[in-house]
Amino acid sequence: MRVAVISDIHANLHALEAVLAAIEDEAPDAVWCLGDLVGYGPRPNRCCSAVAARASVSLCGNHDLGVLGEIDLEDFAPDAAQAAEWTRTVLSDDARTYLEGLSPKARADGVELFHGSPRDPVWDYVLSGEAAFDALELTSDPLVLVGHSHVPLAIVLAGDDLAGGLAPGGAEVDLAAGRWLLNPGSVGQPRDGDARAAWLLLDLPRGTASFRRVEYPIDRTQAEILERGLPEALAARLADGV
Ligand code: ZN
């Protein structure tokens, strides 16, 4: 079973289309999505329909729940809240129905999946060794997948020893020894200083994980953000991958 893992698309259709094209080239058996399909970006409906068509496991994230009104936008940074409010005004019935059917956690093929973390699948960020240790302590499967931070990570717990960290594009990980926590990074708003869209290819029988990056037309997404009157900072940050 080979699985492409995507996360944090954030209504960036051009990034999503580039990633889905790269995924098709690999012809995996399944696509899993770790949530935040919408929020920040300009193309929420097309992103929801594309994920709905392709992903066999799909989670919701804090931005999806904020747009649905299931969590309070007062908990969001101002730019994120403004984008979520705008998304509410354009969200199609189909996209809303799709997002309403998603949970922030799931389990598939012996893998535990969370948008945030096992401690708090909606809001908790796994960005420190301590948080990764907690996430692996609170789970039991050999492989745990998280999104939410927009930073690709590969962290392993072998006995009491924690190792690993940032996983740049091109990183390959052997999953055979220890229990692993992986974050594929973000399709639509990377924050590790690499502006290219991120995704992850898992080969579960072989026990390998391959961190991938793909170029996309950032300027087209930026233009759409500005056309829709969304905060300029949300366009600017895409060029820097922050
Ligand atoms: Zn996100």
Side-chain angles (χ1 to χ4, degrees):
M1 172 109 175
R2 293 167 69 247
V3 182
V5 185
I6 60 176
S7 190
D8 295 279
I9 294 144
H10 287 293
N12 185 338
L13 181 65
H14 303 296
L16 178 61
E17 287 181 337
V19 166
L20 290 175
I23 288 172
E24 289 317 310
D25 287 345
E26 292 288 348
D29 302 293
V31 176
W32 296 347
C33 177
L34 304 179
D36 275 0
L37 285 69
V38 303
Y40 293 130
R43 307 290 297 275
N45 295 324
R46 286 281 300 278
C47 286
C48 287
S49 60
V51 171
R54 194 63 183 87
S56 55
V57 176
S58 186
L59 309 184
C60 59
N62 53 309
H63 286 259
D64 305 316
L65 294 169
V67 167
L68 292 174
E70 291 179 25
I71 56 180
D72 199 331
L73 295 184
E74 282 180 10
D75 295 334
F76 284 72
D79 282 356
Q82 188 184 331
E85 274 166 12
W86 172 82
T87 305
R88 285 175 178 175
T89 67
V90 299
L91 196 69
S92 68
D93 289 345
D94 282 353
R96 169 173 288 275
T97 301
Y98 180 67
L99 294 176
E100 282 173 346
L102 306 181
S103 158
K105 61 180 182 175
R107 188 155 181 253
D109 298 281
V111 180
E112 288 172 86
L113 300 83
F114 304 89
H115 177 67
S117 81
R119 188 166 49 196
D120 179 346
V122 174
W123 277 113
D124 190 35
Y125 289 92
V126 180
L127 277 169
S128 66
E130 194 182 9
F133 187 82
D134 287 352
L136 288 162
E137 284 287 294
L138 289 167
T139 51
S140 54
D141 283 341
L143 182 56
V144 178
L145 301 175
V146 300
H148 189 44
S149 72
H150 302 202
V151 174
L153 292 177
I155 295 176
V156 61
L157 182 66
D160 288 333
D161 294 328
L162 201 67
L166 279 178
E172 302 270 345
V173 172
D174 178 355
L175 304 173
R179 294 181 57 232
W180 286 85
L181 178 134
L182 306 178
N183 185 325
S186 169
V187 170
Q189 195 197 75
R191 294 182 191 162
D192 62 339
D194 182 343
R196 295 175 299 169
W199 65 285
L200 173 67
L201 182 63
L202 297 175
D203 188 327
L204 296 174
R206 284 182 57 219
T208 59
S210 173
F211 287 83
R212 305 290 178 92
R213 298 306 273 260
V214 57
E215 306 259 6
Y216 75 95
I218 293 172
D219 56 331
R220 292 180 68 186
T221 296
Q222 289 176 315
E224 291 170 355
I225 288 172
L226 300 178
E227 276 163 26
R228 285 154 179 77
L230 293 165
E232 244 172 78
L234 297 179
R237 67 189 300 175
L238 295 179
D240 299 323
V242 295

